[in-house]
Amino acid sequence: MMERLFSDRGFVIHAAVYLGVNVLLAVIDVFTSPESLWFYWPLLGWGLGLLGHAYAVTHAAATAVDGSVMEQEDNADQSHRS
């Protein structure tokens, strides 16, 4: 499951941006207003979005416009390699 997650380029980019931006927000928050911390709010909110992205990558099947479930990309890639 983790292989699939980290082989998805979109998720890796999302996770890297999440990490970078939230570290920057935490540093800004700690140095500008250490008496009232707020950086955890975007961390939590965006973290829920990242979890949703992870779920979509690992569990959701691709669905066609008419609602029928299409074959997973991994299965299609493996059949082309044979």
Side-chain angles (χ1 to χ4, degrees):
M1 180 164 50
M2 294 301 281
E3 274 182 38
R4 171 181 256 172
L5 192 59
F6 289 107
S7 67
D8 183 80
R9 184 174 180 174
F11 178 79
V12 171
I13 291 170
H14 189 177
V17 172
Y18 170 81
L19 181 65
V21 169
N22 282 292
V23 166
L24 180 64
L25 288 176
V27 168
I28 290 170
D29 187 24
V30 168
F31 282 109
T32 60
S33 60
E35 65 282 348
S36 63
L37 298 178
W38 50 261
F39 75 91
Y40 54 86
W41 291 113
L43 184 81
L44 291 172
W46 194 349
L48 290 174
L50 188 62
L51 284 174
H53 193 163
Y55 180 82
V57 168
T58 57
H59 291 93
T63 306
V65 174
D66 64 358
S68 63
V69 176
M70 297 171 50
E71 186 176 358
Q72 293 278 337
E73 288 182 29
D74 290 343
N75 295 336
D77 289 341
Q78 290 174 359
S79 65
H80 287 92
R81 292 179 190 160
S82 303

